[in-house]
Amino acid sequence: MTRTNYDTGRGLALLAMMERIRAFERQAELAATRDKLVLGAIHLSIGQEACAAGIMQALRRDDLLLSTHRGHGHTLAKGADPAAMMKELLGREGGCCGGKGGSMHIADFGVGMLGANGVVSANITIGAGAAHGIKLLGDDRICVDIFGDGAINRGPFLEGLNWAAVFDLPVLFVCEDNEWSATTRTADMTGGDGAAARAEAIGLPVQRVDGNDVEAVADIAGDLVARIRRDRRPAFLHARTFRQEGHTYFDPAAYRSQEATQARIAADDPIARHRETLQAAGVAMAELDQIKAKAEAEMQAALSVATAAPFPPDDSVFDEVQDIGSPAEEAV
Amino acid sequence: MPVMTYAGAALQALREAMIADPRVWCVGEDLGRGGVFGQYKGLREEFGETRISDAPISEAGIMGAAFGAAMVGTRPVVEMRFADFALCATDELINQIAKARFMFGGQSRAPMVIRKPMGMWRSSAAQHSQSLEAWYAHIPGLVVAVPATPQDNYAMMRAAIAADDPVVYLEHKDIWLNEAEVDPEEPFTWGTARRRHAGGDLTVVSWSNTANLAAEAADILAAEGIAADVLDLRSLWPWDRQAVCESAGRSGRLLVAHESVGTAGFGAEVVATVVENTSLTCPPRRLASPRSLVPYAPNLEDQLRVTADMIADTAREMCR
Ligand SMILES: Cc1ncc(C[n+]2csc(CCOP(=O)(O)OP(=O)(O)O)c2C)c(N)n1
């Protein structure tokens, strides 16, 4: 693909972030399957890196983000420390949630990442509310709220979008549509024309994007974010992507054709596509390979650090429950 | 000291908190006109529609959005209208609000007051009458408030708004107009029972409107020479195990009375705790609603009601 005035700097940064996400996910997968160090389920975002990298590059560090059970990539792209994230996956001390949350509750409030969520769709009303809070406090941050295509069939989708619309809130809803709701094809379970049509019916401005084209995602997210920051009103982005692996790391995805999946990966891997763009723009293959190698080394190191970290102190299980009537102070 | 109604006391407390802290705001259905029971009367005029915010009929949305706003540093007071409707926002309350601080390793807090008017209110029938306080006491992360008097509704509302924890705030719908003097300076500490009547013959533990009935029963009993120690728990989490065990240990007799269903109710928790920690001279008793549903017809509704007379009768039997 040739682009005029191609911004090679941004292109390389997008590639670097996608490579970091993929390398993080591969290390997380190894930690789970080879090392048996991740005990809970992890939901990998391999194949969906372009959404995370493209959207997050448009945000400021103090903007807010909410995500789903498949939130590692979003969190990393928002600026979280991969070693703290990996420790969290392994349930270790120093994990970004102190080893209490794990993969599905990954969060780093320091970079505005207000949490992944283990309950599908629940983050949609909460994200609208975070934007409501921003509005009440009167600052110029915005909130991005990412969910899957399966989430649009639960009530919080309607309630959250309507909420943002009636209160004029600075929130970008992103449906990261990977076609699957766990082991079921979302289209088979969805009436009407799906996410974008529903958002339009509520009156949100809607953009659609090829979510595996990181440059397109970055362009559209850049526009939407700038518009939301200026107008303080919600918008909706429908990004089509593809989940390359199973729903969780131990799901072999036997419910879909392996050949079709392989063909899809060969044609539509966001990283391979973006490497072609960069090569066409004149970047040397060696430089691209170096970016990948660097990302892999970083994430291998993150896993080593996490593996060496101790488990949290036993009595921390009673911390951070509540102040009033805290079990940490209870002596029954 | 000013005389206030139960509803008016909480309204005054809320008003003062909103004046003191601009981050406090209220959100729920029909708040602009003062709330279903007038608990927000006049606040829209005073604080504007941004801080007294009318919400769509979206209980999950109200609860979830208020939580999001709490995470970024505001202090929402969430109105659920009837405790029954809060069930539409169960995930938001129990899976999100109660757990966020813990799951995120202390990065997040949910300083929220979640108001859920509860209890039987003549002929409101099964979907507008429930008392589910035991459910919330069961959930780690939540504080559970069950005020019974104007004084407590004032002081506890102030404390709930000031708290950095999520507080499930259960006001009883049948006593909005009860009047009493309120001392705004009287301190309140979570998990401290109020002694509504002093005595050494038996210990009666109660909360919410049933505590008022227990106090009435104690007056009846006192005239007959039976001295009841009536403890109004005021909050069910945390709750005053020390005062209850101390009193029951002294009197040797424990009666727990509450309006909600007895089966797996909070009364069972009280009895178990006392039995584990003290010795009683007669078996402890519970008075509560049978495990049925609240009906519409008044005579049927009365079949489920715990009354002051029933408390007095049971106390007499126990002291015989
Ligand atoms: C309320 C709820 N129902 C069911 C589940 C189990 N579950 C976890 S992920 C998932 C599929 C979600 O699909 P989608 O929203 O498209 O996200 P994706 O996994 O594709 O990223 C399901 C059903 C859940 N976590 N929460």
Side-chain angles (χ1 to χ4, degrees):
Chain A
M1 190 189 298
T2 49
R3 291 168 192 263
T4 48
N5 300 325
Y6 183 69
D7 182 348
T8 311
R10 186 183 85 163
L12 288 170
L14 289 170
L15 179 71
M17 186 56 77
M18 291 200 292
E19 292 284 16
R20 290 180 73 226
I21 295 170
R22 182 153 308 179
F24 181 91
E25 297 290 54
R26 289 283 180 226
Q27 290 300 314
E29 194 173 27
L30 286 175
T33 54
R34 177 193 65 195
D35 306 339
K36 311 272 188 262
L37 292 172
V38 178
L39 302 172
I42 53 172
H43 304 77
L44 302 173
S45 60
I46 289 166
Q48 304 183 196
E49 297 88 349
C51 284
I55 291 164
M56 261 29 97
Q57 67 83 39
L59 297 183
R60 298 193 319 225
R61 188 183 168 88
D62 66 344
D63 285 327
L64 303 178
L65 168 70
L66 286 99
S67 175
T68 68
H69 55 282
R70 202 178 301 285
H72 303 166
H74 307 141
T75 307
L76 195 59
K78 190 70 177 73
D81 169 19
M85 289 174 61
M86 198 63 86
K87 284 181 193 161
E88 191 57 39
L89 265 50
L90 272 56
R92 301 303 168 99
E93 187 171 20
C96 46
C97 302
K100 286 175 170 165
S103 165
M104 278 191 279
H105 306 115
I106 203 115
D108 184 347
F109 281 57
V111 299
M113 200 305 183
L114 306 191
N117 210 305
V119 180
V120 168
S121 205
N123 58 312
I124 304 179
T125 55
I126 301 171
H132 202 136
I134 290 171
K135 181 174 177 171
L136 290 168
L137 297 172
D139 62 54
D140 74 339
R141 288 176 295 170
I142 74 158
C143 179
V144 171
D145 197 333
I146 306 182
F147 43 87
D149 42 302
I152 71 166
N153 287 323
R154 281 202 66 229
F157 176 79
L158 166 68
E159 298 198 18
L161 264 59
N162 184 60
W163 192 278
V166 298
F167 288 107
D168 286 335
L169 301 176
V171 54
L172 174 62
F173 294 110
V174 179
C175 179
E176 192 175 330
D177 182 350
N178 65 11
E179 299 177 15
W180 291 88
S181 302
T183 65
T184 305
R185 201 177 277 282
T186 305
D188 295 343
M189 294 292 132
T190 303
D193 293 332
R198 292 181 187 186
E200 271 160 359
I202 290 174
L204 298 191
V206 172
Q207 296 268 0
R208 295 166 174 83
V209 69
D210 175 350
N212 280 11
D213 178 347
V214 71
E215 298 278 2
V217 175
D219 287 346
I220 288 182
D223 286 350
L224 286 171
V225 164
R227 204 200 303 166
I228 294 167
R229 207 181 301 285
R230 188 185 63 228
D231 299 343
R232 319 304 296 168
R233 307 201 58 186
F236 191 93
L237 178 62
H238 184 237
R240 284 177 315 281
T241 181
F242 185 68
R243 191 189 79 204
Q244 293 187 6
E245 305 215 339
H247 174 56
T248 62
Y249 74 94
F250 47 72
D251 166 22
Y255 41 84
R256 65 184 189 187
S257 143
Q258 288 301 313
E259 296 79 57
T261 298
Q262 288 313 316
R264 189 80 179 263
I265 294 171
D268 196 24
D269 180 81
I271 295 180
R273 281 177 62 180
H274 189 50
R275 281 172 63 107
E276 281 171 25
T277 304
L278 287 163
Q279 276 179 277
V283 181
M285 179 89 99
E287 190 177 345
L288 303 181
D289 290 344
Q290 213 182 340
I291 288 172
K292 180 179 181 185
K294 192 171 160 221
E296 284 174 350
E298 181 192 9
M299 299 310 164
Q300 273 166 15
L303 178 55
S304 309
V305 167
T307 306
F311 285 107
D314 286 351
D315 60 2
S316 71
V317 71
F318 298 120
D319 293 340
E320 305 295 357
V321 176
Q322 57 194 121
D323 296 325
I324 299 166
S326 164
E329 290 157 20
E330 282 296 308
V332 181
Chain B
M1 278 191 296
V3 172
M4 296 184 194
T5 63
Y6 182 75
L11 174 61
Q12 179 61 17
L14 180 55
R15 210 183 140 251
E16 288 170 12
M18 290 186 75
I19 292 169
D21 186 349
R23 296 169 305 167
V24 177
W25 64 295
C26 306
V27 61
E29 297 154 21
D30 300 309
L31 292 200
R33 294 205 173 74
V36 180
F37 302 103
Q39 323 93 297
Y40 301 86
K41 220 181 178 74
L43 296 184
R44 170 62 74 85
E45 292 72 11
E46 188 170 354
F47 297 103
E49 61 178 32
T50 308
R51 292 182 68 195
I52 299 293
S53 199
D54 276 336
I57 303 168
S58 301
E59 283 72 20
I62 294 166
M63 194 79 90
F67 169 48
M71 279 205 294
V72 306
T74 73
R75 303 183 73 85
V77 174
V78 177
E79 176 57 50
M80 279 288 130
R81 202 179 180 112
F82 282 76
D84 314 71
F85 306 154
L87 302 186
C88 301
T90 306
D91 172 61
E92 287 70 19
L93 177 63
I94 293 176
N95 276 325
Q96 313 293 336
I97 293 168
K99 293 177 183 164
R101 178 175 166 190
F102 183 85
M103 286 191 319
F104 298 144
Q107 296 182 82
S108 140
R109 284 185 176 248
M112 307 171 64
V113 182
I114 300 126
R115 286 180 92 173
K116 303 180 168 191
M118 71 159 180
M120 281 192 243
W121 190 43
R122 192 53 119 185
S123 290
S124 302
Q127 294 176 337
H128 291 71
S129 300
Q130 287 165 99
S131 295
L132 299 174
E133 69 273 20
W135 290 21
Y136 305 112
H138 192 73
I139 304 300
L142 300 179
V143 176
V144 183
V146 278
T149 64
Q151 175 67 52
D152 284 335
N153 212 13
Y154 175 85
M156 291 173 72
M157 179 57 77
R158 290 294 314 247
I161 297 170
D164 284 335
D165 290 325
V167 179
V168 175
Y169 200 90
L170 299 154
E171 287 152 292
H172 199 291
K173 295 192 292 289
D174 214 24
I175 55 175
W176 289 120
L177 299 179
N178 279 13
E179 269 187 336
E181 284 191 334
V182 171
D183 176 2
E185 304 301 324
E186 191 193 287
F188 168 74
T189 306
W190 294 102
T192 58
R194 181 190 288 285
R195 178 161 277 118
R196 298 284 295 268
H197 194 278
D201 293 332
L202 90 161
T203 299
V204 182
V205 174
S206 193
W207 56 88
S208 190
N209 189 33
T210 313
N212 298 327
L213 306 179
E216 265 178 52
D219 287 338
I220 300 170
L221 292 165
E224 302 165 13
I226 298 175
D229 210 30
V230 177
L231 294 175
D232 173 355
L233 290 183
R234 305 199 286 180
S235 60
L236 298 190
W237 191 264
W239 69 283
D240 200 340
R241 285 171 287 188
Q242 208 181 332
V244 168
C245 289
E246 187 268 325
S247 171
R250 217 167 3 92
S251 70
R253 297 185 181 90
L254 173 68
L255 168 62
V256 189
H258 56 85
E259 179 179 312
S260 43
V261 169
T263 308
F266 198 74
E269 177 68 24
V270 174
V271 168
T273 302
V274 168
V275 169
E276 280 167 357
N277 290 286
T278 65
S279 47
L280 298 172
T281 53
C282 70
R285 295 277 298 268
R286 285 181 287 162
L287 273 175
S289 173
R291 190 173 176 283
S292 184
L293 301 165
V294 181
Y296 176 73
N299 64 312
L300 298 182
E301 195 187 86
D302 286 343
Q303 302 304 306
L304 305 186
R305 276 182 196 278
V306 172
T307 63
D309 284 340
M310 287 163 71
I311 296 170
D313 286 347
T314 309
R316 271 184 219 109
E317 280 172 28
M318 292 175 72
C319 291
R320 201 172 286 147

